[in-house]
Amino acid sequence: MGQAALVAEMPVYPVVEVRGFCKRYRNQVAVDSVDLSIQPGEIYGLIGPDGAGKSSLMKAIAGVLSFEGGKVQVFGIRIDSEAAAERVKGRIGFMPQGLGLNLYAELSVEENIDFFAQLREVPPGLLAQRKRQLLAMTRLEEFRDRPMKQLSGGMKQKLGLACTLIHEPELVILDEPTTGVDPVSRRDFWAILAELLRERGITALVSTAYMDEATRFQRLSLMYEGRVLAAGEPDQIRQAVPGSLVEVTVEPQIEALRRLKAKYPQVEAVGPVLRTFVDGVSSKAAREQVAASLDDLSVEAIQAVDSELEDAFVALLRQRKLAGQPAAGAAGTPLAEPPASDEVAIKARGLTRDFGIFRAVDQVSFRVIQGEIFGLLGANGAGKTTVIKMLTGILPPSAGQGQVAGADMRRARQAIKEHIGYMSQAFSLYQDMTVLENIRLYARIYAVPRSQLKQRIDWVVEMAGLQGVEDRLAGKLPMGIRQRLALGCALVHRPRVLFLDEPTSGVDPIGRRRFWDILVQMARVEQVAILVTTHYMSEAEHCDHVALMYAGRIIADASPVQMKQALQQEAGQLLDIATDRPLRALKALEQAGFAGVALFGRRIHLLAKDPQQARQQIESRLTQQGISLLDITPRIPSLEDVFVYRVMAREKEARSQ
Amino acid sequence: MKPTRIKALAYKEWREILRDRLFLSLAFIVPVSMMLIFGYGIKLDVENIPFAVLDQDRTAMSRDYLHLFMDSRYFDYKGHVQSERELEPLLADSKIRFAIIVPPNFQENLKAGRPVAVQSLIDGTFPFRTSTSKGYVIAINNAFNGKLLAGFISRKMGVPPGQAAALVEPVKVQLRYLYNQEIKSLWSIAPTMMMFILLMTPPFLTALGVVREKENGSIYNIYSSTVTRAEFLVGKLLPYLGISIINVIILWLMAVLVFAAPFKGDPLFFFLASVIYVSCTTGIGLLVSLFARTQVAAMMITVVVTIVPAVLYSGLLVPIASMDAASQFEAHLFPAMYYTDIALGSFLKGIGMGQLWGRVGALLFYSSVLWIAAYLLFHKRVRT
């Protein structure tokens, strides 16, 4: 382990030692017998969806939350009282959840840092020196005097980090520092964090809800509903789950999906690809099994691939019977012959919206055809929600035109509302009404004829997999089910166009998968046009077509595969490099002038136009520095890579102007 | 306690308040506007009651009788009507609040020595105003009776009218109003309003200021640092105490300059007593903030725990002495009553520490209890 090697001369005792930790809120068990041990100098991750118990555990370790059972030891001191907690607080830095919420909105960047330093009694001389370093590193130097409330999400998080590190703690605890931050800033944040920790030999405990950030950690605990499902190095966790993942591109996709679903419990459609997890067999056997069940269909490509952490997480939940029954609902819908149509469902031309002098949406144009899943991607504040509000007739545009379901957005607002379904960020359900009452209410609001009422309601219950919870109160349902109910309510009047505004924020991976199952079904079978916004880049892979939004503009618009190909043509092949000393290698490669160099856990990613030549350069460069190269693998870039590259290019352009 | 950390906390808080326009206006504009609105709004004097007249007699005597009302400063004559039916809509629209009907043959009956009934209609919507109006009507009516009687005696016994008047009313009540010689309610309202406003606004600001940090999570900066509980409470609340002390001065100046209330006591004593009072009410806000989790909840709780005692148990509407035993006991539990005594005493009576030390002591005690309770209830390692 890279970091471990750096601190090898120190006596190795765990910085944090947790045994049998239990936390209850009233009668609700939030965390149940969790063990955890963090070694000095490591970046330890807690990964899990909302409500997994990450925050409770972190707060208890930071000494700001009391707990009911178990033992928590920090720096060898047992945290069992307020007085004991006080003894370790000087050596800890804690950043709570929420984008910049723990900072002071009215104070400037510098005043925020100064306040934290004064709280921690950093001497003025030392403060000036550390502040200079931290501001330089986080590139906040030029914003020194800007009030915190005027910073972007990514800048707020970097400022939060600087404030947390100003007293040079030995242990930093960061609760979901990257949630809601755009991918560029996220990468930036991780790079800064890695460098700061390495320079100062700081130990870190970091939580995240993004499964794809797992590679940033040396070790991690996978949490779900208050328990640890698995712990260890990311690769170990993935490999420890028995089974193999097979990716297949096949026509007709919907028939293949139906067959695989009947046979395997873990199947998902990601754009044109079907990903099937086959339990308990080797990759070769898995590939053969999947191929056999699709033998009479036209298989374009089939291969066994390494499973992602999310696949492993879902498989673990399933194998331990922690998740509910697999998504039966979507698969059970009768398959109708897809009405072939290339009809345009949504057409936006030059949509613009100003709020005062601030232009939230700038000249946005795109089109979505019936049966297509269209993803609008971007960070918080990129203008996604404003676009949806204009298209659904809630907000009049400042300029531009839009057509939805054949009607003009400006003139036929009422007609549009009858033909669309809309699910907003905060699901607009009535918490004190039962599931059936909610569906019935929406059916009435959308004027579903009385004669069809029962049939429609039954269809929604089946489609959204709500059997068994019909009479429960909406407010008492788990997040994932509530989200499917909201989707069902938006679909009750059989709209031709469906708008979903960040529908999956905070939902666990299994819930997300079931949700996407339904969306794929609606698009492929019912030919509904779906426009969905998200800031989960991994989720965007499900879309047929993606538009990247940045600062109110669309900066790229194509299918995910096309986007990745375009990136490879423009910037080169993505290489994944493993070395024995990743942090030193990172610096060496950056100095060598490679593009897009970024650290992912112990691996380094970079872009190279000529992979062969780059290999040699990398090898010689690393050997010079006394670093041994373990492995170089070419990889297909992710949508996140695309987003980061496009935004960086855009920013570079803006700077040069 | 380390002064540097307290200073850092207080200075941060102060800058936040100054830069947040909404909060700043809440801190300074609200108390001033409350003083203006309530000061002019709660006029307990009933004057210029609009009234109309139906004179069915139209004689010299009926005119004499009605002129007593028209000339009074308590009544505002709006006109004559021709029939009883015209009165009803006027009363219903609140165009008039009182009507008087002089029956036919008023003069004839009186001259013949027969009693007459004059009907008066009074708007009973506000009982306080109604009972005052009724008092005025009876008093004017009595004056008229007295005049008639005096005239009768003067005629029958052949004594001059002045002597006759003395005979009619052998015992005269001689009133001298102390402390508020003109019985202007504004004089006593202004100091009472200081009590009211300084009971309401400091807890509001304090509770919002602390709960705001709890709501958005910045309180974790405090929880997770080595700042002690006492340092946090003192540093956090100093700016709020400062604002309230500035408000004491502003409100005092308004009472004296705008409402022209006489200030007869010792300004320094009154200032110090007021500082103790606002430290006490700030403590109420602090205590509220420890229980409330959201700013909305904090506001609701503050309203309940401050307005109720301020209105009911402070002597604002009902004098403490005229309450029943249970209410009197409750009144002694709230700080408002003590400060009302201090304020009225300082403004109108000109008394000071010599007479009011008990009240000041009670506030001091109250304040210490609140602050100690808050200190004991505030934890940096919380349960939820």
Side-chain angles (χ1 to χ4, degrees), chain A residues 304-320:
Chain A
V305 294
D306 278 346
S307 56
E308 305 274 331
L309 190 74
E310 187 177 314
D311 301 306
F313 180 73
V314 172
L316 270 174
L317 285 181
R318 216 167 27 73
Q319 287 168 3
R320 300 207 187 151

Side-chain angles (χ1 to χ4, degrees), chain A residues 425-571:
Chain A
Q425 265 171 9
F427 320 142
S428 37
L429 293 172
Y430 295 86
Q431 311 279 324
D432 297 325
M433 283 168 41
T434 66
V435 168
L436 277 185
E437 283 165 348
N438 265 296
I439 302 173
R440 196 172 294 133
L441 176 72
Y442 275 91
R444 292 263 170 82
I445 290 175
Y446 284 117
V448 172
R450 236 163 226 289
S451 54
Q452 290 177 26
L453 200 62
K454 193 184 173 311
Q455 184 208 340
R456 298 299 304 161
I457 292 173
D458 289 346
W459 176 81
V460 167
V461 168
E462 196 206 341
M463 180 269 310
L466 297 169
Q467 301 94 330
V469 294
E470 290 103 323
D471 296 320
R472 301 238 328 250
L473 291 181
K476 296 271 162 67
L477 294 172
M479 190 80 162
I481 300 181
R482 220 161 58 216
Q483 171 209 34
R484 294 206 300 273
L485 171 60
L487 177 64
C489 289
L491 285 169
V492 71
H493 56 300
R494 305 205 95 154
R496 301 299 299 141
V497 181
L498 181 62
F499 290 93
L500 305 167
D501 196 0
E502 300 209 349
T504 52
S505 292
V507 178
D508 65 272
I510 293 207
R512 284 222 300 273
R513 279 174 187 229
R514 289 195 64 175
F515 188 79
W516 276 96
D517 273 349
I518 300 172
L519 293 189
V520 168
Q521 195 76 13
M522 291 312 297
R524 300 285 178 271
V525 180
E526 311 265 337
Q527 289 293 305
V528 175
I530 299 175
L531 189 152
V532 57
T533 69
T534 179
H535 57 247
Y536 287 98
M537 290 293 146
S538 60
E539 206 171 77
E541 309 265 358
H542 289 79
C543 300
D544 300 315
H545 202 103
V546 170
L548 296 185
M549 270 193 94
Y550 176 74
R553 284 162 175 265
I554 287 186
I555 56 170
D557 178 0
S559 75
V561 176
Q562 288 167 341
M563 279 196 179
K564 291 172 191 171
Q565 283 168 352
L567 175 71
Q568 281 172 322
Q569 269 166 18
E570 248 176 75

Side-chain angles (χ1 to χ4, degrees), chain B residues 40-111:
Chain B
Y40 285 119
I42 309 188
K43 255 186 142 178
L44 298 175
D45 303 326
V46 181
E47 284 179 17
N48 298 327
I49 305 159
F51 81 110
V53 165
L54 173 57
D55 186 357
Q56 294 171 324
D57 193 43
R58 294 169 193 278
T59 55
M61 253 179 137
S62 74
R63 271 192 295 278
D64 275 354
Y65 180 71
L66 289 171
H67 265 285
L68 286 178
F69 288 92
M70 292 179 201
D71 298 342
S72 159
R73 72 172 163 123
Y74 299 114
F75 293 99
D76 178 18
Y77 169 66
K78 291 288 181 193
H80 272 68
V81 296
Q82 300 307 319
S83 75
E84 227 172 298
R85 251 175 298 145
E86 287 175 56
L87 288 174
E88 225 168 281
L90 288 175
L91 279 164
D93 290 353
S94 298
K95 296 230 169 67
I96 58 168
R97 300 206 177 270
F98 162 62
I100 189 157
I101 303 169
V102 179
N105 309 324
F106 177 76
Q107 180 171 311
E108 194 190 318
N109 283 337
L110 282 177
K111 288 234 162 116

Side-chain angles (χ1 to χ4, degrees), chain A residues 124-332:
Chain A
L126 215 48
L127 167 62
Q129 179 202 335
R130 286 183 196 164
K131 189 159 63 181
R132 205 167 43 241
Q133 280 177 355
L134 285 169
L135 284 176
M137 228 166 152
T138 49
R139 292 190 298 286
L140 289 170
E141 186 63 52
E142 53 185 308
F143 306 107
R144 216 177 239 263
D145 298 319
R146 186 180 285 194
M148 177 289 235
K149 61 183 172 188
Q150 287 169 17
L151 297 180
S152 72
M155 275 153 61
K156 281 179 188 165
Q157 285 313 74
K158 287 193 287 187
L159 174 59
L161 184 65
C163 289
T164 312
L165 290 172
I166 193 73
H167 63 291
E168 300 217 329
E170 293 161 58
L171 168 67
V172 286
I173 300 173
L174 310 173
D175 195 356
E176 298 205 7
T178 53
T179 298
V181 179
D182 66 279
V184 179
S185 305
R186 259 164 62 189
R187 283 199 178 182
D188 199 24
F189 184 88
W190 283 113
I192 293 168
L193 182 68
E195 184 163 354
L196 282 170
L197 300 187
R198 172 192 42 168
E199 268 184 7
R200 296 172 169 77
I202 299 172
T203 311
L205 174 62
V206 188
S207 70
T208 178
Y210 299 101
M211 291 280 157
D212 50 3
E213 286 187 335
T215 47
R216 305 286 187 174
F217 305 117
Q218 280 135 12
R219 289 196 306 145
L220 60 91
S221 290
L222 216 47
M223 292 187 74
Y224 183 73
E225 292 190 342
R227 288 169 180 278
V228 170
L229 289 182
E233 290 180 29
D235 287 345
Q236 287 174 349
I237 294 178
R238 279 197 298 110
Q239 285 153 11
V241 180
S244 307
L245 189 71
V246 178
E247 283 189 356
V248 53
T249 314
V250 60
E251 281 296 326
Q253 193 191 34
I254 198 73
E255 169 61 16
L257 183 63
R258 197 184 60 78
R259 282 197 208 173
L260 290 173
K261 275 239 158 107
K263 218 167 155 190
Y264 305 103
Q266 190 174 339
V267 184
E268 64 167 345
V270 178
V273 180
L274 293 179
R275 305 175 87 235
T276 309
F277 193 87
V278 185
D279 284 339
V281 295
S282 70
S283 54
K284 189 160 168 281
R287 188 181 162 278
E288 279 163 9
Q289 280 184 24
V290 171
S293 45
L294 303 173
D295 56 358
D296 57 332
L297 303 177
S298 68
V299 176
E300 279 172 38
I302 182 162
Q303 57 175 336
V305 294
D306 278 346
S307 56
E308 305 274 331
L309 190 74
E310 187 177 314
D311 301 306
F313 180 73
V314 172
L316 270 174
L317 285 181
R318 216 167 27 73
Q319 287 168 3
R320 300 207 187 151
K321 310 255 183 301
L322 285 170
Q325 84 278 27

